[in-house]
Amino acid sequence: MPTINRTFWTGVKEYVIITLGILLYVTGWLVFLLPNNLVGGGITGVSSIIQYGTHGLIKAGYSYFIINIVLVIIAIFILGRSFGSKSVYAIIVASIGLSFGQDIVPQEFCRMMAVDNGKLMSTIMGGLIVGVGIGMSISQGGSSGGTDIIALIVNKYRNISPGRMILWMDAVIILSSLAVPSFTRDGNLVPFTEKITTVVYGFILVAVTSTTLDLYLAGSKQSVQLFILSKKYDQIADAITKELHRGVTVLDGKGWFTKEETQVLMVITRKSNLNLYLQYVKTIDPDAFLSVSYVTGVYGRGFDAIKMSGKKNKV
């Protein structure tokens, strides 16, 4: 069986998914949130407050880019250069989208899709789209920047969900919008009473976004356990270890119907890689018998690390 060049195509896939995720993220802001003068969390929320307060002279993409670059430089020293390269790429794409997308997306389209449907529906739709976009980016080692970077840094050392971290940080950002004057696209000053309502919508937005993010990441990190029965078990095991770089456990078994000794391969991998494993097994032995089950809490090399909270006890 020809060897699959996973390194190159895996990298291409990661950047494609990151790009799609960031485009979704930007779409949620451009279509549903910014036209309604809604305030969200993260650096994009800070940037939106700046845009509203400056009559749109400083577009969200400009301040978004500057603040995020500073945070990425800090993250490179903690999370590694691979994180930095993907996140810088994501931030550049998002900055371009937030800066120039407001002039490209027709206002009539935004009015029809968001403004006419009310702020509540726009908040829910925008939160769903933004949450999925952030999840797609984080699942491939990237980030849309801002509080996502801070959440990833904390999550590296503590078992705290990124969604929960983002939720608390975003609450502070949304409340801060009360202290900054806001103007609509028409140049009208937003009344303080309406800003209080906007804060409520902001809390709904971050709740929807964080929940969507956690659900997406939980699904993307889900693992499966494969039991493979085949007379060509040795060839399948070699292909998995040498070409897919995943560990294999060989278990001794006995078929009670045939009374024959057999070997059973046990493999644990990410759900997203399942089709690739099935392709390898089918190519080597089309008659192989497989059993697939979902597992949770997989820790160790190649999977999640066990993170200890609190200080270590001294002996």
Side-chain angles (χ1 to χ4, degrees), residues 262-274:
T262 185
Q263 281 69 41
V264 182
L265 304 182
M266 184 186 74
V267 183
I268 296 179
T269 185
R270 296 294 188 192
K271 177 184 175 182
S272 57
N273 295 327
L274 177 60

Side-chain angles (χ1 to χ4, degrees), residues 38-203:
L38 291 171
V39 176
I43 303 305
T44 314
V46 176
S47 301
S48 66
I49 294 174
I50 295 175
Q51 175 172 315
Y52 302 150
T54 59
H55 294 261
L57 295 178
I58 302 178
K59 291 186 177 181
Y62 301 152
S63 53
Y64 173 90
F65 179 78
I66 296 174
I67 298 173
N68 273 302
I69 287 299
V70 175
L71 290 174
V72 166
I73 293 174
I74 297 174
I76 288 175
F77 292 99
I78 299 178
L79 301 177
R81 294 184 177 181
S82 59
F83 171 88
S85 61
K86 293 177 181 178
S87 292
V88 168
Y89 169 77
I91 289 170
I92 291 175
V93 174
S95 299
I96 294 174
L98 291 171
S99 299
F100 300 102
Q102 297 184 51
D103 298 326
I104 296 176
V105 178
Q107 293 188 15
E108 181 64 23
F109 176 78
C110 296
R111 184 190 62 79
M112 180 181 63
M113 292 294 296
V115 178
D116 289 349
N117 290 321
K119 290 188 176 183
L120 179 59
M121 182 59 66
S122 297
T123 299
I124 296 174
M125 291 300 298
L128 289 172
I129 296 175
V130 168
V132 172
I134 296 175
M136 292 176 66
S137 182
I138 290 181
S139 67
Q140 302 303 314
S143 169
S144 60
T147 52
D148 306 339
I149 296 178
I150 300 174
L152 286 178
I153 293 174
V154 175
N155 183 252
K156 180 179 180 180
Y157 301 103
R158 295 290 185 269
N159 280 319
I160 303 176
S161 71
R164 182 174 299 177
M165 281 293 303
I166 293 172
L167 178 63
W168 286 106
M169 289 184 287
D170 290 353
V172 176
I173 295 173
I174 291 173
L175 288 172
S176 67
S177 66
L178 292 173
V180 181
S182 299
F183 297 88
T184 64
R185 289 186 175 182
D186 298 330
N188 299 321
L189 179 66
V190 178
F192 185 78
T193 53
E194 185 176 338
K195 292 184 64 176
I196 295 177
T197 306
T198 301
V199 167
V200 176
Y201 286 128
F203 285 129

Side-chain angles (χ1 to χ4, degrees), residues 201-265:
Y201 286 128
F203 285 129
I204 297 175
L205 173 63
V206 296
V208 174
T209 301
S210 61
T211 302
T212 305
L213 170 61
D214 281 344
L215 290 174
Y216 184 93
L217 291 180
S220 65
K221 289 186 176 181
Q222 193 170 27
S223 299
V224 294
Q225 180 175 265
L226 284 78
F227 285 107
I228 306 171
L229 287 80
S230 171
K231 294 182 179 180
K232 301 180 180 180
Y233 71 93
D234 52 343
Q235 298 180 37
I236 296 175
D238 287 340
I240 293 176
T241 54
K242 294 179 181 179
E243 298 183 24
L244 299 179
H245 307 289
R246 177 63 66 187
V248 180
T249 300
V250 181
L251 307 175
D252 293 327
K254 183 177 182 178
W256 196 247
F257 181 79
T258 61
K259 301 299 188 295
E260 295 181 356
E261 302 292 335
T262 185
Q263 281 69 41
V264 182
L265 304 182

